[in-house]
Amino acid sequence: CRLLFLSCVLVAPLLSAAFSHPLPDPGLVKRQTPTTQPLVVFQVLMDHDFAFSYGKPFVGNYVPPPCAFNRVIMNFTVTSKGRQFDRLGLMYLGDVEVFRTSTAEPTSNGIVWTYIKEMDHYTALWKTEQKIIFDLGNLIDSTYTASFNTLLSTTFFTAPQTSVVADQILPISARRSADNGPSAFSLPSDNASIAIRIPQNTERAVVSLLACGQGAEEFWYTNAKNSEVSTFANQVGDLNGYGPLREVQLLIDGQITGAFVPPTVIFTGGIAPGLWRPIVGIDAFDLTEFEIDVTPWLPLLCNGASHTFEIRVVGYNDDGRGNASLSNGVGSSWIVTGKIFLFLGPEGSVTSGTAPEITASPPVIAITSELTTNNSTGANESLRYYTGYERSISVKSTVRTSNGTTFPAFWYQRDSYVNTNLIYSQGFSQSTLQITNGIDKSSSDFRNDYNYRLELNSNFSTSPPDTIKIYANITRDLLDTGHPNASIFPPPLRTFTPGRPYNRNVYLYARPGRPHIYPLVIPPSLRKYPVDSHSSGQAGSAFYSNGPNGSRSTGEMAHRSGVSGWPTTDDFGQYEPMGMYYTSVSAVNSSLALLSESLLGIPVGPQKAVSPLSTVSKLQQRPARGSVREILGRGFGEAKRSLVGSGGNVGRRA
């Protein structure tokens, strides 16, 4: 679930009595039942140091555990010491990407972090032997000295409550696992298209997409229009282009099926490194996947032939006169993959129905800009530019399953977005405000209403000899509401209904960074709360300097995150929201200053207040990113090199 580095994971009540202590130590641990079948199996999937690992992913073999299971909890723990860029990590089971993360930037004193994630939506893969590929490209030299020491483990067990999971998962990827390579596409250099034959007995199908920008596309939401990239060329150099809009598209047989504006992911070296120590940006440890229900396409997809699935990422071109249209590509580079979750009917059956009806007009894009020049020098002083975007897509059909059931299938989405950027002080300062809204819904009872807001201000200065200073502040909010229980992914919180000897509902969850299981009895009146919304927010500021006499980075960040649900009804017949889980944490100069956590309004464990550290070693870390273009995505210098991939052209561009 998306609770940042404070992710909450619920574990089955089966573990409540025997496992209210740390999870098993690394290695294979079996707990036997009277019938000799293990209750819980713990496996280490990877124990590996990523040092000079560009083009050298970890490759291992996975064998299913000797137990029945319907829950899979993954633990990813990393230690690092020294100086290093933030790196992107991609985990695959075969050719299917199942986890995308990024690293924190280490310090000279060393750091450690743990991320815990539910993975039972990939049960169809966990049930068979798999090749595990973990791609975390890293470079070691005299300047960048830190390796990433990683431990990846899984815990398998059975919970009394059964989740509906896909019967088969097919990759939309480059499919390089046979050569021990990672399978991500890199756009625009790759053609992210693949032919797939869907089983004819498929009765529901959902595609999920993963996409994030690297290099010149890492800070795409601050990019300038193509007609204005050279506005401050004499002062700070050319800006990155294709506008501050990106649309990730899914096409089936060349026809638009779904599209979304990706969330703004800020990695731990971005904007100002002091913002992200030790609290990382929203989604930075677990990048968001977007769902597109393609069930309305099944009458076509189940005809026994192969069909083309393609992922595209586009921005916009403008004519310099206030008109814009979607571009054919973007800068380098976007790392993308997808997968298809298939829910099957009886073997040998054939799904049929009517051909899909697609309603998808080109998006409406509105742009304006205002340039201010210095009357005496003629130099460009400031550039304000606005982008508005709106798009809706609808696909519907009638689906007929093998047992004669006929139902109307549909997928509908509507997305809107506004972005305002102001670059001033002759290109040395920039403010960004972006608000994204969307509604996704399907005939499978899935609905997701989301709202993302980002407000960012940054300015940099240079002074001889070769000293860079950056000041930045950021506010961001994320809100998802709807019916996540109909999602193919586990909801942020879920209730388990235990069997004997338990006669009450019990939540069990792992507190991040402390892999313990904590039981909490839920009052009978609060047992059936479907999760309805998840929210996260961050606000912080930071300073960074880099020069001949060394570097200095300070910063503070406050983060909050919560999950709410709705009861069936209250005593007056009205629906009222209920706070299910809430956490807040703040940090000052690399140290946690406050931590509070509650479940159903009840404080969990001791609430902590820690005095911020202010030692010289903490404040005078040398961040890995050295140029303004590396840190902010604009100005002089080169963009941070992408290190994703080991084959083809994946990730090889600066």
Side-chain angles (χ1 to χ4, degrees), residues 489-512:
F489 299 106
L493 293 176
R494 59 176 159 190
T495 304
F496 296 90
T497 304
R500 291 186 177 184
Y502 307 101
N503 58 8
R504 60 186 181 271
N505 281 14
V506 180
Y507 271 105
L508 290 104
Y509 62 98
R511 296 177 68 187

Side-chain angles (χ1 to χ4, degrees), residues 270-324:
I271 310 301
L275 290 169
W276 317 117
R277 294 181 174 177
I279 301 175
V280 302
I282 296 172
D283 291 348
F285 276 171
D286 190 0
L287 275 68
T288 299
E289 300 191 45
F290 272 76
E291 298 178 51
I292 300 172
D293 195 322
V294 296
T295 302
W297 289 82
L298 289 181
L300 173 65
L301 297 176
C302 292
N303 63 2
S306 294
H307 296 272
T308 300
F309 288 74
E310 182 181 2
I311 305 170
R312 295 179 184 173
V313 179
V314 298
Y316 67 79
N317 292 317
D318 73 293
D319 60 5
R321 298 187 298 273
N323 301 304

Side-chain angles (χ1 to χ4, degrees), residues 166-171 175 196-205 294-295 297-307 309 340-352 399-400:
D167 299 294
Q168 190 173 350
I169 303 172
L170 302 179
R175 300 195 176 190
I196 299 175
R197 180 176 284 109
I198 300 296
Q200 291 185 275
N201 60 333
T202 301
E203 297 185 351
R204 182 190 175 202
V294 296
T295 302
W297 289 82
L298 289 181
L300 173 65
L301 297 176
C302 292
N303 63 2
S306 294
H307 296 272
F309 288 74
I340 313 172
F341 293 81
L342 301 177
F343 301 79
L344 306 180
E347 187 174 353
S349 64
V350 177
T351 296
S352 60
V399 175
R400 184 178 300 107

Side-chain angles (χ1 to χ4, degrees), residues 1 3-10 116 493 508-514 516 518 520 559-563 579-586 592 594-609:
C1 65
L3 297 186
L4 210 93
F5 85 114
L6 295 173
S7 313
C8 176
V9 177
L10 300 182
I116 301 170
L493 293 176
L508 290 104
Y509 62 98
R511 296 177 68 187
R514 301 175 218 121
H516 292 63
Y518 295 86
L520 181 73
H559 170 79
R560 55 174 173 74
S561 192
V563 177
M580 304 287 284
Y581 176 82
Y582 179 80
T583 183
S584 66
V585 62
S586 61
L592 292 178
L594 176 67
L595 173 63
S596 64
E597 201 171 13
S598 64
L599 191 62
L600 294 175
I602 303 171
V604 177
Q607 310 302 288
K608 295 191 173 183

Side-chain angles (χ1 to χ4, degrees), residues 71-263:
R71 293 289 185 268
V72 183
I73 305 297
M74 187 178 75
N75 183 305
F76 183 55
T77 298
V78 185
T79 60
S80 187
K81 183 177 181 179
R83 184 174 188 240
Q84 193 53 262
F85 279 119
D86 48 327
R87 303 297 192 188
L88 194 65
L90 292 79
M91 174 188 173
Y92 305 85
L93 294 178
D95 293 313
V96 179
E97 184 183 0
V98 297
F99 178 47
R100 185 176 299 190
T101 187
S102 65
T103 66
E105 286 195 349
T107 68
S108 57
N109 294 329
I111 61 172
V112 59
W113 74 89
T114 294
Y115 191 81
I116 301 170
K117 179 179 175 69
E118 286 189 273
M119 298 287 281
D120 40 85
H121 47 294
Y122 296 116
T123 296
L125 301 177
W126 295 117
K127 291 290 187 180
T128 62
E129 293 187 13
Q130 299 286 342
K131 180 181 290 186
I132 296 175
I133 297 176
F134 204 108
D135 186 27
L136 199 162
N138 194 27
L139 296 177
I140 298 291
D141 57 24
S142 59
T143 301
Y144 301 104
T145 60
S147 61
F148 293 101
N149 315 116
T150 64
L151 181 66
L152 181 71
S153 62
T154 48
T155 302
F156 300 89
F157 57 92
T158 297
Q161 182 181 2
T162 302
S163 298
V164 178
V165 296
D167 299 294
Q168 190 173 350
I169 303 172
L170 302 179
I172 305 174
S173 71
R175 300 195 176 190
R176 299 191 183 101
S177 66
D179 298 322
N180 293 335
S183 294
F185 294 113
S186 178
L187 300 177
S189 58
D190 289 342
N191 177 17
S193 176
I194 189 167
I196 299 175
R197 180 176 284 109
I198 300 296
Q200 291 185 275
N201 60 333
T202 301
E203 297 185 351
R204 182 190 175 202
V206 180
V207 172
S208 73
L209 300 178
L210 264 169
C212 64
Q214 297 278 278
E217 291 288 303
E218 183 173 351
F219 306 99
W220 57 268
Y221 43 89
T222 68
N223 284 16
K225 297 184 294 182
N226 286 346
S227 63
E228 297 172 339
V229 295
S230 299
T231 301
F232 303 103
N234 293 333
Q235 293 88 358
V236 299
D238 285 343
L239 305 171
N240 293 320
Y242 293 100
L245 168 69
R246 294 295 178 269
E247 184 183 76
V248 181
Q249 303 174 341
L250 173 68
L251 295 89
I252 297 179
D253 291 339
Q255 299 183 80
I256 191 73
T257 304
F260 61 89
V261 176

